[in-house]
Amino acid sequence: MPDKAVLILAAGLGTRMKSDIPKVLHTFDNKPLIIRLLEKIEKLKIKNIIIVVGYKAEFVVDVVKKWNANKGFNIVFVYQKLLKGSGQAVVESAKEIKKFEDIFIISGDIPLISLKTLKGMLRNYDNKKIDALILTATVSDTKSYGRIIRDNNKNVKAIVEADELKGDEKLINEINGGVYIFKTKKLLEAIRDLKPKGLKKEYYLTDAIENIYKSGGKIDTFIISDEDEISGPNSKKELNELEKRYYMKNAIKLGEEGVSIKSPEFSYISETVEIARDTIIYPDTHIYGNSKIGKNCSIGPYVIIEDSIIKDNCTIKPFSYISKSVIREGSIVGPFSHIRPESDIGPDAKIGNFSEIKKSKIGKGSKVPHLSYIGDCEMGEKVNIGAGTITCNYDGVKKHKTTINSGAFIGSNTNLVAPVRIGKNALIGAGSTITIDIPDNKLAIARSREVIKEKKRKV
């Protein structure tokens, strides 16, 4: 029997979100909540994942399947028929979870649960002979969280929801984080007789803790101090506030490491981003995913960078968008430039105003200064691209490649109809449409002869 699986609870509607989108598909740091969680689970090296889906399940399933397309995880979806709480979700998952010795249960809507915490829980659980491990936090403001109730020997005996607390229980500041690891056999025994509670008559997974305790089971806690790790936002306002705190923490941390963050409150930088010292980040800059920024760079304002590498001494000017690309040393991009995926720019290259680069290599010292589209292109060194130049890479069926060799000069308003090769030091006259290869060191002009005639109609 495989030893472990992860059970993700992702069936909720999220009524207070006031949205038609399933709760776990709302975005946080430019990704759906459930994808952020899956990326962390991926690093736990647990290959078996069970996901409980409910409201608009087909959308959640589609997003997860696309994420897993090339990863090879064994993902099983359980369609929760009765949306009556976390306990009911686990009951309806029993057929799947019984295949595993241990089950790691995580809510799909806690975007800031850290990999460090998840790994710590697994290590703690594996090192102790226990039946259940609960993630908890000690906080000054307990809000509406359930509390951890302990017996006289400090052993966990129950989790009590906020609206059921009595007397001194209300003074307890250890809260339930909603993340658990169970011995599957013990869990299945503990959920057999769950009773509906509250106005909504829901079945609470937390009641399984008390049942395990009463049966003589051993329960432990993994305590953290950062409440944000276990925060599951219930409204768009809460989601936005949590995201703001997250970005602020990331900006402050980078500032402490030698990055000049001009406005931490208006910087949107993922926790996975790496930025070297002496780089300046101007306001309203968004840097997401696994981006890496070198030293002595100037980024922004109003720049978006996704999963890209910016080498040392680069300048990314305002209103530029760079996705899944590499900008090499000393290059300048922008303002108003769009660098699309699989592009490789520089070193010492320039991409200027309103130029778009797609899946292209721009060589050392080459320039695409303004108003051009360069797609599926291999460009050599010190090439100069005139304004309004287009590589016509798509024939309606297939994409084709344009090669522009070093030293070529492409006149303004030129159309390069791929597949086509422009030779070294070739010169293309402005306004040309080039459909054949141009040899090295040649001048090519491809435009209609200018004709001047008398006007037939007077103005």
PDB file of all heavy atoms in Angstrom, residues 243-256 259-269 281-285:
ATOM      1  N   GLU A 243      -3.271  39.637   0.008  1.00  0.00           N
ATOM      2  CA  GLU A 243      -2.294  39.771  -1.077  1.00  0.00           C
ATOM      3  C   GLU A 243      -1.420  41.013  -0.868  1.00  0.00           C
ATOM      4  O   GLU A 243      -0.204  40.978  -1.107  1.00  0.00           O
ATOM      5  CB  GLU A 243      -3.020  39.832  -2.415  1.00  0.00           C
ATOM      6  CG  GLU A 243      -2.111  39.629  -3.613  1.00  0.00           C
ATOM      7  CD  GLU A 243      -2.895  39.528  -4.910  1.00  0.00           C
ATOM      8  OE1 GLU A 243      -3.892  40.261  -5.069  1.00  0.00           O
ATOM      9  OE2 GLU A 243      -2.505  38.730  -5.774  1.00  0.00           O
ATOM     10  N   LYS A 244      -2.015  42.101  -0.395  1.00  0.00           N
ATOM     11  CA  LYS A 244      -1.247  43.318  -0.117  1.00  0.00           C
ATOM     12  C   LYS A 244      -0.194  43.057   0.956  1.00  0.00           C
ATOM     13  O   LYS A 244       0.955  43.505   0.838  1.00  0.00           O
ATOM     14  CB  LYS A 244      -2.184  44.443   0.333  1.00  0.00           C
ATOM     15  CG  LYS A 244      -2.972  45.087  -0.784  1.00  0.00           C
ATOM     16  CD  LYS A 244      -3.878  46.192  -0.228  1.00  0.00           C
ATOM     17  CE  LYS A 244      -4.735  46.806  -1.321  1.00  0.00           C
ATOM     18  NZ  LYS A 244      -5.658  47.844  -0.765  1.00  0.00           N
ATOM     19  N   ARG A 245      -0.575  42.358   2.018  1.00  0.00           N
ATOM     20  CA  ARG A 245       0.391  42.048   3.083  1.00  0.00           C
ATOM     21  C   ARG A 245       1.516  41.177   2.545  1.00  0.00           C
ATOM     22  O   ARG A 245       2.683  41.356   2.905  1.00  0.00           O
ATOM     23  CB  ARG A 245      -0.315  41.352   4.253  1.00  0.00           C
ATOM     24  CG  ARG A 245      -1.308  42.225   4.990  1.00  0.00           C
ATOM     25  CD  ARG A 245      -1.621  41.684   6.371  1.00  0.00           C
ATOM     26  NE  ARG A 245      -2.210  40.369   6.374  1.00  0.00           N
ATOM     27  CZ  ARG A 245      -3.519  40.132   6.254  1.00  0.00           C
ATOM     28  NH1 ARG A 245      -4.366  41.133   6.086  1.00  0.00           N
ATOM     29  NH2 ARG A 245      -3.984  38.899   6.295  1.00  0.00           N
ATOM     30  N   TYR A 246       1.154  40.247   1.713  1.00  0.00           N
ATOM     31  CA  TYR A 246       2.137  39.338   1.103  1.00  0.00           C
ATOM     32  C   TYR A 246       3.159  40.116   0.274  1.00  0.00           C
ATOM     33  O   TYR A 246       4.371  39.950   0.421  1.00  0.00           O
ATOM     34  CB  TYR A 246       1.377  38.325   0.242  1.00  0.00           C
ATOM     35  CG  TYR A 246       2.172  37.565  -0.785  1.00  0.00           C
ATOM     36  CD1 TYR A 246       2.973  36.485  -0.418  1.00  0.00           C
ATOM     37  CD2 TYR A 246       2.100  37.898  -2.133  1.00  0.00           C
ATOM     38  CE1 TYR A 246       3.673  35.768  -1.369  1.00  0.00           C
ATOM     39  CE2 TYR A 246       2.797  37.190  -3.088  1.00  0.00           C
ATOM     40  CZ  TYR A 246       3.582  36.122  -2.709  1.00  0.00           C
ATOM     41  OH  TYR A 246       4.284  35.414  -3.659  1.00  0.00           O
ATOM     42  N   TYR A 247       2.681  40.992  -0.610  1.00  0.00           N
ATOM     43  CA  TYR A 247       3.588  41.768  -1.456  1.00  0.00           C
ATOM     44  C   TYR A 247       4.451  42.712  -0.617  1.00  0.00           C
ATOM     45  O   TYR A 247       5.642  42.909  -0.900  1.00  0.00           O
ATOM     46  CB  TYR A 247       2.818  42.558  -2.501  1.00  0.00           C
ATOM     47  CG  TYR A 247       2.297  41.719  -3.652  1.00  0.00           C
ATOM     48  CD1 TYR A 247       0.965  41.811  -4.066  1.00  0.00           C
ATOM     49  CD2 TYR A 247       3.131  40.835  -4.334  1.00  0.00           C
ATOM     50  CE1 TYR A 247       0.491  41.053  -5.124  1.00  0.00           C
ATOM     51  CE2 TYR A 247       2.666  40.070  -5.389  1.00  0.00           C
ATOM     52  CZ  TYR A 247       1.337  40.188  -5.782  1.00  0.00           C
ATOM     53  OH  TYR A 247       0.872  39.427  -6.828  1.00  0.00           O
ATOM     54  N   MET A 248       3.874  43.305   0.407  1.00  0.00           N
ATOM     55  CA  MET A 248       4.639  44.203   1.265  1.00  0.00           C
ATOM     56  C   MET A 248       5.782  43.455   1.956  1.00  0.00           C
ATOM     57  O   MET A 248       6.927  43.934   2.003  1.00  0.00           O
ATOM     58  CB  MET A 248       3.722  44.850   2.297  1.00  0.00           C
ATOM     59  CG  MET A 248       4.433  45.778   3.265  1.00  0.00           C
ATOM     60  SD  MET A 248       5.131  47.236   2.470  1.00  0.00           S
ATOM     61  CE  MET A 248       3.664  48.270   2.368  1.00  0.00           C
ATOM     62  N   LYS A 249       5.494  42.263   2.483  1.00  0.00           N
ATOM     63  CA  LYS A 249       6.533  41.457   3.131  1.00  0.00           C
ATOM     64  C   LYS A 249       7.657  41.132   2.151  1.00  0.00           C
ATOM     65  O   LYS A 249       8.844  41.213   2.489  1.00  0.00           O
ATOM     66  CB  LYS A 249       5.934  40.154   3.673  1.00  0.00           C
ATOM     67  CG  LYS A 249       5.088  40.313   4.917  1.00  0.00           C
ATOM     68  CD  LYS A 249       4.513  38.961   5.341  1.00  0.00           C
ATOM     69  CE  LYS A 249       3.596  39.090   6.540  1.00  0.00           C
ATOM     70  NZ  LYS A 249       2.993  37.785   6.923  1.00  0.00           N
ATOM     71  N   ASN A 250       7.291  40.769   0.921  1.00  0.00           N
ATOM     72  CA  ASN A 250       8.307  40.423  -0.076  1.00  0.00           C
ATOM     73  C   ASN A 250       9.174  41.631  -0.409  1.00  0.00           C
ATOM     74  O   ASN A 250      10.407  41.513  -0.554  1.00  0.00           O
ATOM     75  CB  ASN A 250       7.639  39.902  -1.352  1.00  0.00           C
ATOM     76  CG  ASN A 250       6.875  38.609  -1.131  1.00  0.00           C
ATOM     77  OD1 ASN A 250       7.095  37.921  -0.132  1.00  0.00           O
ATOM     78  ND2 ASN A 250       5.982  38.274  -2.032  1.00  0.00           N
ATOM     79  N   ALA A 251       8.549  42.798  -0.548  1.00  0.00           N
ATOM     80  CA  ALA A 251       9.299  44.016  -0.884  1.00  0.00           C
ATOM     81  C   ALA A 251      10.242  44.406   0.248  1.00  0.00           C
ATOM     82  O   ALA A 251      11.408  44.779   0.007  1.00  0.00           O
ATOM     83  CB  ALA A 251       8.322  45.154  -1.184  1.00  0.00           C
ATOM     84  N   ILE A 252       9.765  44.322   1.480  1.00  0.00           N
ATOM     85  CA  ILE A 252      10.614  44.663   2.621  1.00  0.00           C
ATOM     86  C   ILE A 252      11.808  43.719   2.707  1.00  0.00           C
ATOM     87  O   ILE A 252      12.951  44.147   2.937  1.00  0.00           O
ATOM     88  CB  ILE A 252       9.788  44.629   3.921  1.00  0.00           C
ATOM     89  CG1 ILE A 252       8.784  45.788   3.923  1.00  0.00           C
ATOM     90  CG2 ILE A 252      10.690  44.686   5.148  1.00  0.00           C
ATOM     91  CD1 ILE A 252       7.784  45.732   5.052  1.00  0.00           C
ATOM     92  N   LYS A 253      11.573  42.427   2.480  1.00  0.00           N
ATOM     93  CA  LYS A 253      12.665  41.441   2.526  1.00  0.00           C
ATOM     94  C   LYS A 253      13.715  41.751   1.458  1.00  0.00           C
ATOM     95  O   LYS A 253      14.919  41.716   1.730  1.00  0.00           O
ATOM     96  CB  LYS A 253      12.084  40.039   2.315  1.00  0.00           C
ATOM     97  CG  LYS A 253      13.112  38.918   2.332  1.00  0.00           C
ATOM     98  CD  LYS A 253      12.426  37.568   2.227  1.00  0.00           C
ATOM     99  CE  LYS A 253      13.432  36.419   2.251  1.00  0.00           C
ATOM    100  NZ  LYS A 253      14.261  36.375   1.032  1.00  0.00           N
ATOM    101  N   LEU A 254      13.277  42.069   0.241  1.00  0.00           N
ATOM    102  CA  LEU A 254      14.220  42.392  -0.833  1.00  0.00           C
ATOM    103  C   LEU A 254      14.996  43.663  -0.502  1.00  0.00           C
ATOM    104  O   LEU A 254      16.196  43.765  -0.786  1.00  0.00           O
ATOM    105  CB  LEU A 254      13.472  42.548  -2.160  1.00  0.00           C
ATOM    106  CG  LEU A 254      12.962  41.246  -2.779  1.00  0.00           C
ATOM    107  CD1 LEU A 254      11.967  41.540  -3.901  1.00  0.00           C
ATOM    108  CD2 LEU A 254      14.110  40.397  -3.310  1.00  0.00           C
ATOM    109  N   GLY A 255      14.313  44.652   0.092  1.00  0.00           N
ATOM    110  CA  GLY A 255      14.988  45.878   0.495  1.00  0.00           C
ATOM    111  C   GLY A 255      16.091  45.607   1.503  1.00  0.00           C
ATOM    112  O   GLY A 255      17.171  46.210   1.448  1.00  0.00           O
ATOM    113  N   GLU A 256      15.845  44.687   2.412  1.00  0.00           N
ATOM    114  CA  GLU A 256      16.858  44.321   3.410  1.00  0.00           C
ATOM    115  C   GLU A 256      18.044  43.598   2.786  1.00  0.00           C
ATOM    116  O   GLU A 256      19.126  43.552   3.370  1.00  0.00           O
ATOM    117  CB  GLU A 256      16.216  43.445   4.488  1.00  0.00           C
ATOM    118  CG  GLU A 256      15.203  44.200   5.349  1.00  0.00           C
ATOM    119  CD  GLU A 256      14.408  43.293   6.269  1.00  0.00           C
ATOM    120  OE1 GLU A 256      14.467  42.042   6.064  1.00  0.00           O
ATOM    121  OE2 GLU A 256      13.705  43.802   7.165  1.00  0.00           O
ATOM    122  N   VAL A 259      18.210  45.534  -2.414  1.00  0.00           N
ATOM    123  CA  VAL A 259      17.452  46.011  -3.570  1.00  0.00           C
ATOM    124  C   VAL A 259      16.794  47.332  -3.199  1.00  0.00           C
ATOM    125  O   VAL A 259      16.273  47.485  -2.098  1.00  0.00           O
ATOM    126  CB  VAL A 259      16.378  44.985  -3.992  1.00  0.00           C
ATOM    127  CG1 VAL A 259      15.611  45.479  -5.219  1.00  0.00           C
ATOM    128  CG2 VAL A 259      17.021  43.628  -4.275  1.00  0.00           C
ATOM    129  N   SER A 260      16.819  48.292  -4.123  1.00  0.00           N
ATOM    130  CA  SER A 260      16.187  49.582  -3.866  1.00  0.00           C
ATOM    131  C   SER A 260      14.739  49.545  -4.339  1.00  0.00           C
ATOM    132  O   SER A 260      14.464  49.611  -5.535  1.00  0.00           O
ATOM    133  CB  SER A 260      16.945  50.702  -4.593  1.00  0.00           C
ATOM    134  OG  SER A 260      16.338  51.954  -4.353  1.00  0.00           O
ATOM    135  N   ILE A 261      13.827  49.370  -3.397  1.00  0.00           N
ATOM    136  CA  ILE A 261      12.393  49.330  -3.694  1.00  0.00           C
ATOM    137  C   ILE A 261      11.832  50.724  -3.427  1.00  0.00           C
ATOM    138  O   ILE A 261      11.668  51.130  -2.285  1.00  0.00           O
ATOM    139  CB  ILE A 261      11.667  48.289  -2.826  1.00  0.00           C
ATOM    140  CG1 ILE A 261      12.347  46.914  -2.905  1.00  0.00           C
ATOM    141  CG2 ILE A 261      10.199  48.205  -3.230  1.00  0.00           C
ATOM    142  CD1 ILE A 261      12.175  46.192  -4.206  1.00  0.00           C
ATOM    143  N   LYS A 262      11.528  51.469  -4.474  1.00  0.00           N
ATOM    144  CA  LYS A 262      11.144  52.864  -4.309  1.00  0.00           C
ATOM    145  C   LYS A 262       9.822  53.018  -3.545  1.00  0.00           C
ATOM    146  O   LYS A 262       9.666  53.948  -2.761  1.00  0.00           O
ATOM    147  CB  LYS A 262      11.034  53.542  -5.680  1.00  0.00           C
ATOM    148  CG  LYS A 262      12.378  53.738  -6.376  1.00  0.00           C
ATOM    149  CD  LYS A 262      13.281  54.680  -5.579  1.00  0.00           C
ATOM    150  CE  LYS A 262      14.568  54.986  -6.303  1.00  0.00           C
ATOM    151  NZ  LYS A 262      15.441  55.890  -5.520  1.00  0.00           N
ATOM    152  N   SER A 263       8.872  52.126  -3.791  1.00  0.00           N
ATOM    153  CA  SER A 263       7.585  52.199  -3.093  1.00  0.00           C
ATOM    154  C   SER A 263       7.138  50.782  -2.751  1.00  0.00           C
ATOM    155  O   SER A 263       6.448  50.141  -3.554  1.00  0.00           O
ATOM    156  CB  SER A 263       6.527  52.890  -3.957  1.00  0.00           C
ATOM    157  OG  SER A 263       6.848  54.243  -4.169  1.00  0.00           O
ATOM    158  N   PRO A 264       7.520  50.267  -1.579  1.00  0.00           N
ATOM    159  CA  PRO A 264       7.129  48.900  -1.205  1.00  0.00           C
ATOM    160  C   PRO A 264       5.629  48.661  -1.267  1.00  0.00           C
ATOM    161  O   PRO A 264       5.184  47.576  -1.619  1.00  0.00           O
ATOM    162  CB  PRO A 264       7.655  48.769   0.229  1.00  0.00           C
ATOM    163  CG  PRO A 264       8.786  49.734   0.312  1.00  0.00           C
ATOM    164  CD  PRO A 264       8.380  50.893  -0.556  1.00  0.00           C
ATOM    165  N   GLU A 265       4.844  49.700  -0.958  1.00  0.00           N
ATOM    166  CA  GLU A 265       3.390  49.540  -0.956  1.00  0.00           C
ATOM    167  C   GLU A 265       2.821  49.448  -2.372  1.00  0.00           C
ATOM    168  O   GLU A 265       1.667  49.062  -2.554  1.00  0.00           O
ATOM    169  CB  GLU A 265       2.723  50.690  -0.190  1.00  0.00           C
ATOM    170  CG  GLU A 265       2.853  52.049  -0.828  1.00  0.00           C
ATOM    171  CD  GLU A 265       4.129  52.795  -0.458  1.00  0.00           C
ATOM    172  OE1 GLU A 265       5.145  52.140  -0.158  1.00  0.00           O
ATOM    173  OE2 GLU A 265       4.092  54.030  -0.465  1.00  0.00           O
ATOM    174  N   PHE A 266       3.609  49.799  -3.368  1.00  0.00           N
ATOM    175  CA  PHE A 266       3.160  49.705  -4.756  1.00  0.00           C
ATOM    176  C   PHE A 266       4.119  48.854  -5.593  1.00  0.00           C
ATOM    177  O   PHE A 266       4.376  49.138  -6.769  1.00  0.00           O
ATOM    178  CB  PHE A 266       3.013  51.096  -5.378  1.00  0.00           C
ATOM    179  CG  PHE A 266       1.941  51.922  -4.742  1.00  0.00           C
ATOM    180  CD1 PHE A 266       2.261  53.039  -3.995  1.00  0.00           C
ATOM    181  CD2 PHE A 266       0.599  51.562  -4.862  1.00  0.00           C
ATOM    182  CE1 PHE A 266       1.267  53.801  -3.387  1.00  0.00           C
ATOM    183  CE2 PHE A 266      -0.392  52.318  -4.264  1.00  0.00           C
ATOM    184  CZ  PHE A 266      -0.059  53.439  -3.518  1.00  0.00           C
ATOM    185  N   SER A 267       4.663  47.812  -4.978  1.00  0.00           N
ATOM    186  CA  SER A 267       5.506  46.843  -5.675  1.00  0.00           C
ATOM    187  C   SER A 267       4.867  45.467  -5.517  1.00  0.00           C
ATOM    188  O   SER A 267       4.486  45.086  -4.411  1.00  0.00           O
ATOM    189  CB  SER A 267       6.923  46.840  -5.092  1.00  0.00           C
ATOM    190  OG  SER A 267       7.553  48.078  -5.318  1.00  0.00           O
ATOM    191  N   TYR A 268       4.773  44.735  -6.597  1.00  0.00           N
ATOM    192  CA  TYR A 268       4.044  43.468  -6.607  1.00  0.00           C
ATOM    193  C   TYR A 268       5.008  42.380  -7.072  1.00  0.00           C
ATOM    194  O   TYR A 268       5.126  42.107  -8.265  1.00  0.00           O
ATOM    195  CB  TYR A 268       2.816  43.587  -7.522  1.00  0.00           C
ATOM    196  CG  TYR A 268       1.982  44.805  -7.195  1.00  0.00           C
ATOM    197  CD1 TYR A 268       2.191  46.016  -7.851  1.00  0.00           C
ATOM    198  CD2 TYR A 268       1.016  44.756  -6.194  1.00  0.00           C
ATOM    199  CE1 TYR A 268       1.456  47.150  -7.525  1.00  0.00           C
ATOM    200  CE2 TYR A 268       0.271  45.891  -5.857  1.00  0.00           C
ATOM    201  CZ  TYR A 268       0.492  47.078  -6.535  1.00  0.00           C
ATOM    202  OH  TYR A 268      -0.235  48.195  -6.210  1.00  0.00           O
ATOM    203  N   ILE A 269       5.708  41.789  -6.113  1.00  0.00           N
ATOM    204  CA  ILE A 269       6.804  40.880  -6.414  1.00  0.00           C
ATOM    205  C   ILE A 269       6.564  39.549  -5.716  1.00  0.00           C
ATOM    206  O   ILE A 269       6.372  39.492  -4.502  1.00  0.00           O
ATOM    207  CB  ILE A 269       8.154  41.472  -5.967  1.00  0.00           C
ATOM    208  CG1 ILE A 269       8.360  42.859  -6.611  1.00  0.00           C
ATOM    209  CG2 ILE A 269       9.304  40.542  -6.337  1.00  0.00           C
ATOM    210  CD1 ILE A 269       9.566  43.611  -6.087  1.00  0.00           C
ATOM    211  N   ILE A 281      13.815  49.154  -8.238  1.00  0.00           N
ATOM    212  CA  ILE A 281      12.455  48.790  -8.639  1.00  0.00           C
ATOM    213  C   ILE A 281      11.553  50.002  -8.408  1.00  0.00           C
ATOM    214  O   ILE A 281      11.346  50.432  -7.271  1.00  0.00           O
ATOM    215  CB  ILE A 281      11.928  47.583  -7.837  1.00  0.00           C
ATOM    216  CG1 ILE A 281      12.905  46.394  -7.922  1.00  0.00           C
ATOM    217  CG2 ILE A 281      10.535  47.192  -8.322  1.00  0.00           C
ATOM    218  CD1 ILE A 281      13.091  45.829  -9.302  1.00  0.00           C
ATOM    219  N   TYR A 282      11.025  50.553  -9.485  1.00  0.00           N
ATOM    220  CA  TYR A 282      10.166  51.725  -9.389  1.00  0.00           C
ATOM    221  C   TYR A 282       8.706  51.310  -9.149  1.00  0.00           C
ATOM    222  O   TYR A 282       8.337  50.151  -9.355  1.00  0.00           O
ATOM    223  CB  TYR A 282      10.302  52.579 -10.651  1.00  0.00           C
ATOM    224  CG  TYR A 282      11.631  53.307 -10.722  1.00  0.00           C
ATOM    225  CD1 TYR A 282      12.704  52.776 -11.429  1.00  0.00           C
ATOM    226  CD2 TYR A 282      11.803  54.516 -10.052  1.00  0.00           C
ATOM    227  CE1 TYR A 282      13.926  53.431 -11.475  1.00  0.00           C
ATOM    228  CE2 TYR A 282      13.023  55.183 -10.094  1.00  0.00           C
ATOM    229  CZ  TYR A 282      14.082  54.635 -10.803  1.00  0.00           C
ATOM    230  OH  TYR A 282      15.293  55.284 -10.831  1.00  0.00           O
ATOM    231  N   PRO A 283       7.857  52.257  -8.732  1.00  0.00           N
ATOM    232  CA  PRO A 283       6.469  51.914  -8.351  1.00  0.00           C
ATOM    233  C   PRO A 283       5.666  51.254  -9.455  1.00  0.00           C
ATOM    234  O   PRO A 283       5.937  51.421 -10.645  1.00  0.00           O
ATOM    235  CB  PRO A 283       5.871  53.286  -7.987  1.00  0.00           C
ATOM    236  CG  PRO A 283       7.027  54.127  -7.607  1.00  0.00           C
ATOM    237  CD  PRO A 283       8.157  53.673  -8.480  1.00  0.00           C
ATOM    238  N   ASP A 284       4.674  50.486  -9.013  1.00  0.00           N
ATOM    239  CA  ASP A 284       3.738  49.791  -9.890  1.00  0.00           C
ATOM    240  C   ASP A 284       4.437  48.826 -10.849  1.00  0.00           C
ATOM    241  O   ASP A 284       4.027  48.652 -11.997  1.00  0.00           O
ATOM    242  CB  ASP A 284       2.862  50.782 -10.660  1.00  0.00           C
ATOM    243  CG  ASP A 284       1.703  51.276  -9.815  1.00  0.00           C
ATOM    244  OD1 ASP A 284       0.878  50.435  -9.412  1.00  0.00           O
ATOM    245  OD2 ASP A 284       1.633  52.485  -9.548  1.00  0.00           O
ATOM    246  N   THR A 285       5.487  48.202 -10.351  1.00  0.00           N
ATOM    247  CA  THR A 285       6.160  47.142 -11.092  1.00  0.00           C
ATOM    248  C   THR A 285       5.673  45.795 -10.577  1.00  0.00           C
ATOM    249  O   THR A 285       5.586  45.577  -9.368  1.00  0.00           O
ATOM    250  CB  THR A 285       7.688  47.258 -10.941  1.00  0.00           C
ATOM    251  OG1 THR A 285       8.132  48.431 -11.630  1.00  0.00           O
ATOM    252  CG2 THR A 285       8.396  46.051 -11.513  1.00  0.00           C
TER     253      THR A 285
END
